[in-house]
Amino acid sequence: MPKREEIKSILIIGSGPIVIGQACEFDYSGSQALRSLREDGIETILINSNPATIMTDPVMADHIYLKPLTTKSIVEILKKHPYIDAVLPTMGGQTALNLCIEADEKGIWEDFDVEIIGVDIDAINITEDREKFRELMTKIGVGMAPQATATSFLKGKEIAQEFGFPLVIRASFTLGGAGASIVHDPEDFDDLLSHGLEVSPIHEVMIDKAMMGWKEYELELLRDKNDNVVIICAIENMDPMGIHTGDSITVAPAMTLSDRTYQRMRDMAIHMMRSIGDFAGGCNVQFAVSPDEKEDIIAIEINPRVSRSSALASKATGYPIAKVAAKLAMGYSLDELQNQITQSTSALFEPTLDYVIVKIPRWNFDKFEGSDRTLGLQMKAVGEVMGIGRSFQEALHKATQSLEIKRNGLGADGKGYKQYDTIIQKLTVPSWDRVFVIYDAIQMGIPLSRIHEITKIDMWFLKQYEELHLLEQEISKYTIANLPKELLLEAKQKGFADRQIAHMLDCYESEVHAKRTDLNINRVYKLVDTCAAEFKAMTPYYYSTFEEEIETADGKRYVTNDSVVTDKKKIVVLGSGPNRIGQGIEFDYCCVHGVLASAECGYETIMINCNPETVSTDFDTADKLYFEPVFWEHIYDIILHEKPEGVIVQLGGQTALKLAEKLSKYGIKIIGTSFESLDLAEDRGSFSTLLKENNIPYPKFGVAESADDALKLADELGFPLLVRPSYVLGGQGMKIVINNEDLEAHVVDLLRSIPNNKLLLDHYLDGAIEAEADAICDGEDVYIIGIMEHIEPCGIHSGDSNATLPPFNLGEFVMQQIKDHTKKIALALNTVGLINIQFAVKDDTVYIIEANPRASRTVPFIAKAYKEPYVNYATKVMLGEKKVKDFDFNPQLEGYAIKQPVFSFNKFPNVNKNLGPEMKSTGESILFIDSLKDDEFYNLYSRRKMYLSK
């Protein structure tokens, strides 16, 4: 039975600002659902308050409402569009579901005759109410850990007495494990129980007997209205129970499960999904398996919606779960839909993987001074990376190379821990770098049995690590001149980077690259095809690997490569890698627009990125997707293979920008602003000279390379001082210091964590107003797309400030200086494309804080506020297809738009919440107000100095 013809228009609820536990996976799911519905001619109406995502861009939906996610906003939209037939709330994470349930309880859907599709509210209530869920599982014969519900402190104490420690406390109706904790000691129990009851919106917690050391698995399911069920992906957590899945290293397909147990797990998952309700759509089920030969299975939880893992499972398999789930909600059955990758088989088809994927989370603990860095049941990661390889080892190496934490992969870079006590401590208490510490432990000679006893990580994974270590030892016996071909090939097949092999052989990376080119050990590209090459795939979605040469009967030797190079002119867009504070989804938005604009200009578009959560890595965003680390060696090999016209680096944040120097050195054309100009803006000395020549004021500053230099400079410049390292994003390591002691301590600390870095010391303009401007420049003309004034004073990072567009308090004289300075700087830097400039205004003089000739965090916000596709325009300028004067700019904004930062401090309860020059917000929302008399503006303005820290 095909789709329901009576549904003509659908409201989709987005997930709002990015917070830890609910990141851009849901923007990816929502974007896919919107595209899926529009294919069927459905009118789409979207509500989402997040301006940074491509999801809220006009290319995605017919009507977009950038409004707060409240029932009041829902009613306003339904009054404006009384013809809306249905609401799809499953694509916006817990935020969308909670809003949908609240609107349901208030009778809003009933009042406007709107049907809820894609989810069964009763199913949600059963799965969120842990007591009901437990009863149901008992009824259908699915085992669970001993657990009980507490709605009061006293009841919680009774349960603890009965079960004994260790225990798990989970708060009901929360996301990202908020309020969850493992309690080993009775003395910690009271505080953690109180916290869990407080965090839960219904003041209820579930107390479980902790299944520490059990193995954890997730299955992603899809079901249609005819009760056809497919299992899209089985994901195994390398980390055992006790670490939130969002903070775990996960592997697909499952590696250490016997087939018999996997079949039992499949049957249980399908049985569970059918028992919780009769709905069509996606479902995520989590299990724990005992780490012995019995392999007992217990259910942990089930989420009857598109989940955080759905994005990962979609990218891992090439099966677009959200896209298909949206069609199922519309009434299609699986056998009526096409497999999107092969376009010849049906969607009623379980993907088979002939490769391995490894996901590693990306944390940002450095932004939260004093934060508890141990990993547990409450999610703390802000992003993630995924590596695809022919083996677990290759995929693990690629994932570690994608993290951008100054590591070149596992080991072999001289950066591991060498102290026995530190290693044992880090293995015992799970932390963000345990993936590397396991290698250090093996290198030190700690037996695998001991590592397994401490970490409970399955022996199979540890043996994979040991093989890598033994290979490193073997290679280290040779020099670059006498290294045998088969050893070099094995190292490459196991994912070691040229840089790591160079470390083992004590030579240069370029020598290793030259050696393997001579020996014909070159990367080949394989398709992600969902069906292990059983059918032809139509979508060019690739990962790289190394293969042995095949020899034919006539003596011809070759390796097979699935990536066929066309003779079209090509552009490579470098993605922004994993999300992190300071470089979030805004840059993915820019990359997607860069790809779309390049395609409009007739180029074949090539995307390189390793972030599984985003739209840029969707298989049909660019003409070709290389799901590879944004890491020099991988990028260089793709460029040698594809021979593009050039590479766009200014849309992918600091990640892409950092590669500009290498690209330039290797003679690869950078599209838009040249490397020299990008470098000039980052080099404080040269940039200040440029400002001086143009008579543009800037705060007094100096450059220091040691604590002694800094103390001498302080005498010249005078306190307060703003201290920061060069070449960083999101204000990393920035601090305002007010005396010599603070200065010395901070400089010593910075040089320890970022050695050989030049530190910039600026005289801090106390009490100044901060403003910023974004502009497009083609080398001749400059068009300022937006000038924003920050509500908070200068000294709070621009990403943490409430930015108002247009400014509300800058006089004509100051505005003219901002415009003049912006135009002068853009031209002096030979900018081609986007530029962002930050200003401090004091006593009616406008000083320059910094200039970045690239896409900035605020470009998507300005584009949404003014309803203009600025990244599209800027890309066409970069490609030389258009000049600034060719565009008919027509910004539309009544009143003001405010970019409001959103923080995830609740994940770090003991952290100082003061704001300063280092960015801490994880996301943002947009607020439109008609006038400055609005209460919300007044509240923001009156609190503007509350959090300023020095």
Side-chain angles (χ1 to χ4, degrees):
M1 190 178 114
K3 76 174 175 98
R4 297 170 53 186
E5 292 301 336
E6 74 276 16
I7 296 180
K8 302 273 191 282
S9 67
I10 293 181
L11 171 67
I12 286 196
I13 305 175
S15 56
I18 300 243
V19 289
I20 291 175
Q22 183 175 278
C24 49
E25 311 93 342
F26 295 105
D27 287 304
Y28 160 73
S29 301
S31 302
Q32 269 213 343
L34 286 165
R35 288 164 66 186
S36 184
L37 296 173
R38 288 178 95 178
E39 279 174 7
D40 278 316
I42 301 287
E43 184 178 356
T44 50
I45 297 99
L46 168 70
I47 175 170
N48 195 359
S49 56
N50 186 345
T53 159
I54 192 77
M55 187 189 185
T56 51
D57 196 79
V59 299
M60 284 292 167
D62 296 310
H63 306 281
I64 292 170
Y65 290 94
L66 283 151
K67 283 180 172 292
L69 291 166
T70 60
T71 50
K72 183 179 168 215
S73 301
I74 297 270
V75 170
E76 279 174 35
I77 292 169
L78 293 174
K79 280 182 177 164
K80 209 165 176 186
H81 302 273
Y83 52 81
I84 289 175
D85 298 308
V87 58
L88 182 62
T90 52
M91 302 295 165
Q94 197 72 33
T95 301
L97 271 179
N98 289 350
L99 181 56
C100 178
I101 292 168
E102 189 189 333
D104 190 49
E105 285 167 356
K106 290 179 176 173
I108 293 169
W109 307 126
E110 208 179 323
D111 292 350
F112 287 90
D113 195 22
V114 173
E115 183 188 346
I116 301 169
I117 59 168
V119 68
D120 177 346
I121 296 278
D122 294 339
I124 296 287
N125 288 331
I126 286 171
T127 58
E128 287 288 359
D129 184 325
R130 293 190 178 271
E131 192 60 58
K132 280 186 190 160
F133 179 55
R134 182 177 183 74
E135 283 167 16
L136 180 65
M137 292 302 104
T138 309
K139 194 169 124 192
I140 65 169
V142 171
M144 290 187 75
Q147 62 182 189
T149 308
T151 47
S152 70
F153 185 77
L154 199 62
K155 181 70 180 151
K157 295 282 280 185
E158 280 171 24
I159 296 165
Q161 205 170 321
E162 185 192 332
F163 287 175
F165 293 88
L167 290 171
V168 174
I169 298 174
R170 296 175 204 272
S172 297
F173 284 91
T174 61
L175 189 93
S181 48
I182 299 171
V183 193
H184 294 278
D185 304 310
E187 51 268 29
D188 300 335
F189 182 72
D190 292 9
D191 287 349
L192 294 168
L193 174 62
S194 302
H195 178 62
L197 288 165
E198 207 175 291
V199 167
S200 166
I202 58 167
H203 307 298
E204 173 189 284
V205 297
M206 200 71 175
I207 299 174
D208 305 18
K209 181 82 180 136
M211 311 306 276
M212 305 303 287
W214 281 45
K215 300 192 317 188
E216 193 165 0
Y217 296 87
E218 287 184 75
L219 296 186
E220 284 290 326
L221 292 80
L222 274 174
R223 175 173 73 170
D224 66 19
K225 62 179 187 305
N226 297 338
D227 213 16
N228 294 313
V229 179
V230 280
I231 290 180
I232 307 302
C233 194
I235 300 172
E236 173 166 1
N237 288 11
M238 189 172 106
D239 298 291
M241 287 284 288
I243 297 178
H244 190 283
T245 51
D247 276 355
S248 293
I249 295 162
T250 61
V251 186
M255 290 282 151
T256 70
L257 206 53
S258 68
D259 187 55
R260 187 175 45 89
T261 307
Y262 176 54
Q263 296 305 332
R264 273 170 48 219
M265 193 184 280
R266 283 176 58 99
D267 293 344
M268 278 167 82
I270 293 170
H271 191 31
M272 286 164 71
M273 188 179 185
R274 286 177 171 154
S275 72
I276 60 170
D278 185 18
F279 62 95
C283 200
N284 163 273
V285 192
Q286 290 168 26
F287 293 104
V289 173
S290 66
D292 51 25
E293 50 285 355
K294 287 205 303 230
E295 292 192 315
D296 291 327
I297 307 176
I298 59 169
I300 304 169
E301 66 178 7
I302 182 167
N303 292 307
R305 59 175 168 83
V306 174
S307 72
R308 187 183 311 101
S309 311
S310 307
L312 181 72
S314 295
K315 299 294 168 69
T317 59
Y319 190 112
I321 295 172
K323 206 169 187 180
V324 175
K327 299 255 195 239
L328 300 181
M330 282 289 306
Y332 281 105
S333 58
L334 283 161
D335 50 348
E336 292 169 334
L337 298 171
Q338 260 189 345
N339 175 327
Q340 302 276 323
I341 295 264
T342 62
Q343 292 173 14
S344 60
T345 54
S346 96
L348 184 59
F349 183 110
E350 297 199 347
T352 38
L353 275 56
D354 53 357
Y355 48 84
V356 180
I357 72 106
V358 172
K359 173 213 92 181
I360 303 182
R362 172 79 160 69
W363 293 272
N364 254 140
F365 290 120
D366 51 332
K367 298 285 183 188
F368 302 101
E369 223 172 295
S371 61
D372 172 9
R373 295 180 174 216
T374 57
L375 305 179
L377 294 180
Q378 186 157 316
M379 185 172 162
K380 295 176 180 178
V382 291
E384 64 190 30
V385 297
M386 182 175 105
I388 312 180
R390 275 282 150 134
S391 65
F392 167 72
Q393 291 161 328
E394 185 179 30
L396 180 67
H397 259 129
K398 280 184 167 185
T400 51
Q401 285 153 8
S402 302
L403 284 169
E404 291 177 59
I405 52 171
K406 300 189 172 67
R407 298 295 299 255
N408 298 324
L410 283 178
D413 60 3
K415 291 181 180 171
Y417 290 102
K418 304 274 189 293
Q419 302 80 15
Y420 177 81
D421 292 345
T422 309
I423 290 173
I424 293 292
Q425 165 67 13
K426 281 192 159 287
L427 290 176
T428 310
V429 181
S431 61
W432 66 275
D433 55 357
R434 188 161 77 167
V435 62
F436 297 99
V437 177
I438 294 166
Y439 198 91
D440 301 339
I442 292 170
Q443 210 159 16
M444 180 169 271
I446 297 171
L448 294 194
S449 54
R450 176 91 173 104
I451 300 172
H452 171 69
E453 183 193 325
I454 297 172
T455 62
K456 301 289 187 282
I457 290 172
D458 193 281
M459 216 46 176
W460 185 86
F461 293 115
L462 299 179
K463 287 204 164 95
Q464 298 285 308
Y465 266 90
E466 186 181 48
E467 275 181 28
L468 291 174
H469 166 63
L470 294 172
L471 181 59
E472 180 186 344
Q473 277 189 318
E474 186 61 27
I475 290 172
S476 300
K477 295 173 185 168
Y478 294 89
T479 63
I480 185 73
N482 65 9
L483 179 69
K485 178 178 178 176
E486 55 276 12
L487 263 187
L488 180 54
L489 177 62
E490 188 185 348
K492 295 310 291 178
Q493 287 182 323
K494 290 188 169 172
F496 279 111
D498 290 352
R499 221 174 271 177
Q500 289 172 289
I501 297 166
H503 180 83
M504 299 173 205
L505 300 170
D506 198 17
C507 66
Y508 292 113
E509 179 184 5
S510 52
E511 292 178 82
V512 177
H513 195 276
K515 169 105 177 176
R516 67 177 176 85
T517 309
D518 288 348
L519 294 172
N520 201 22
I521 299 175
N522 294 315
R523 271 195 167 77
V524 291
Y525 297 97
K526 297 290 174 192
L527 272 166
V528 171
D529 60 10
T530 79
C531 59
E534 229 176 291
F535 302 95
K536 190 172 172 357
M538 304 306 286
T539 50
Y541 171 13
Y542 303 100
Y543 66 95
S544 72
T545 189
F546 289 85
E547 292 201 338
E548 291 268 12
E549 289 175 318
I550 299 165
E551 189 167 338
T552 57
D554 57 3
K556 203 176 112 191
R557 299 173 72 85
Y558 70 98
V559 284
T560 57
N561 195 336
D562 293 345
S563 172
V564 179
V565 178
T566 66
D567 52 8
K568 293 179 190 158
K569 51 181 191 167
K570 307 172 186 66
I571 288 291
V572 167
V573 177
L574 286 189
S576 54
N579 267 21
R580 70 214 79 159
I581 291 174
Q583 183 172 296
I585 193 175
E586 312 89 346
F587 294 102
D588 205 74
Y589 164 94
C590 293
C591 288
V592 172
H593 267 298
V595 163
L596 299 177
S598 302
E600 283 173 32
C601 296
Y603 289 93
E604 180 179 337
T605 55
I606 297 166
M607 182 75 217
I608 306 174
N609 203 0
C610 54
N611 185 342
E613 306 178 296
T614 60
V615 176
S616 72
T617 53
D618 212 352
F619 62 82
D620 54 1
T621 294
D623 293 319
K624 268 183 162 178
L625 165 67
Y626 285 95
F627 206 108
E628 292 283 277
V630 188
F631 183 83
W632 171 248
E633 177 186 327
H634 294 275
I635 288 158
Y636 187 50
D637 280 348
I638 292 166
I639 288 168
L640 290 177
H641 177 63
E642 289 283 357
K643 300 181 182 52
E645 303 291 306
V647 179
I648 294 180
V649 297
Q650 59 171 278
L651 300 177
Q654 204 69 22
T655 298
L657 221 57
K658 279 179 182 161
L659 291 156
E661 183 177 6
K662 269 254 162 100
L663 290 165
S664 181
K665 196 169 118 190
Y666 279 78
I668 296 155
K669 187 180 176 194
I670 290 172
I671 301 290
T673 310
S674 69
F675 164 68
E676 289 71 27
S677 294
L678 297 170
D679 193 51
L680 173 58
E682 284 280 1
D683 182 317
R684 204 48 201 267
S686 320
F687 181 58
S688 301
T689 309
L690 179 142
L691 294 176
K692 207 180 241 166
E693 284 167 2
N694 284 281
N695 295 322
I696 298 174
Y698 51 90
K700 286 189 298 182
F701 84 100
V703 178
E705 292 186 26
S706 68
D708 277 347
D709 290 359
L711 291 166
K712 280 187 202 123
L713 262 176
D715 292 342
E716 275 174 54
L717 300 172
F719 290 103
L721 282 172
L722 176 63
V723 183
R724 56 183 164 168
S726 47
Y727 278 100
V728 295
L729 195 88
Q732 184 196 334
M734 276 196 204
K735 201 168 187 182
I736 298 168
V737 294
I738 53 172
N739 57 38
N740 280 337
E741 281 160 89
D742 284 359
L743 176 63
E744 188 178 323
H746 188 55
V747 168
V748 168
D749 193 35
L750 274 180
L751 290 172
R752 196 175 61 233
S753 61
I754 315 175
N756 309 322
N757 199 303
K758 287 184 177 172
L759 303 180
L760 313 170
L761 277 67
D762 294 71
H763 176 69
Y764 169 59
L765 296 165
D766 207 3
I769 293 170
E770 192 166 336
E772 60 183 304
D774 281 291
I776 300 174
C777 176
D778 59 14
E780 295 161 21
D781 292 309
V782 180
Y783 176 77
I784 297 174
I785 64 173
I787 297 172
M788 291 148 286
E789 179 183 355
H790 296 181
I791 291 177
E792 287 76 5
C794 197
I796 288 183
H797 190 280
S798 59
D800 286 353
S801 302
N802 286 278
T804 309
L805 182 81
F808 59 92
N809 191 24
L810 300 177
E812 210 139 305
F813 176 57
V814 166
M815 285 294 280
Q816 198 52 52
Q817 286 177 70
I818 289 177
K819 288 172 188 169
D820 294 346
H821 294 345
T822 302
K823 288 182 176 172
K824 266 188 191 171
I825 292 170
L827 293 169
L829 282 172
N830 301 315
T831 308
V832 180
L834 289 158
I835 184 165
N836 168 271
I837 303 174
Q838 295 180 15
F839 310 95
V841 183
K842 190 162 187 184
D843 304 329
D844 274 356
T845 301
V846 176
Y847 297 88
I848 304 300
I849 302 174
E850 63 180 356
N852 292 303
R854 57 167 170 81
S856 74
R857 200 177 295 106
T858 43
V859 169
F861 161 73
I862 298 171
K864 304 289 171 67
Y866 282 146
K867 301 187 176 64
E868 293 259 77
Y870 293 124
V871 181
N872 179 294
Y873 295 168
T875 305
K876 288 172 180 170
V877 165
M878 283 189 253
L879 291 167
E881 293 284 321
K882 290 269 168 80
K883 289 286 192 193
V884 165
K885 54 175 165 292
D886 296 335
F887 297 107
D888 182 13
F889 293 104
N890 181 25
Q892 292 167 6
L893 172 65
E894 287 169 25
Y896 296 84
I898 303 174
K899 180 176 80 69
Q900 297 184 288
V902 173
F903 300 89
S904 296
F905 286 128
N906 59 339
K907 299 289 178 190
F908 305 102
N910 305 324
V911 166
N912 177 345
K913 295 177 179 53
N914 287 353
L915 302 180
E918 180 149 353
M919 185 172 162
K920 293 177 180 173
S921 64
T922 51
E924 64 195 53
S925 63
I926 190 169
L927 173 72
F928 291 99
I929 57 171
D930 295 332
S931 82
L932 300 175
K933 296 191 175 94
D934 192 288
D935 286 350
E936 296 218 39
F937 179 79
Y938 184 78
N939 287 341
L940 289 171
Y941 195 69
S942 60
R943 293 203 318 262
R944 69 191 182 281
K945 292 184 178 174
M946 191 160 84
Y947 290 125
L948 182 62
S949 74
K950 292 194 174 170

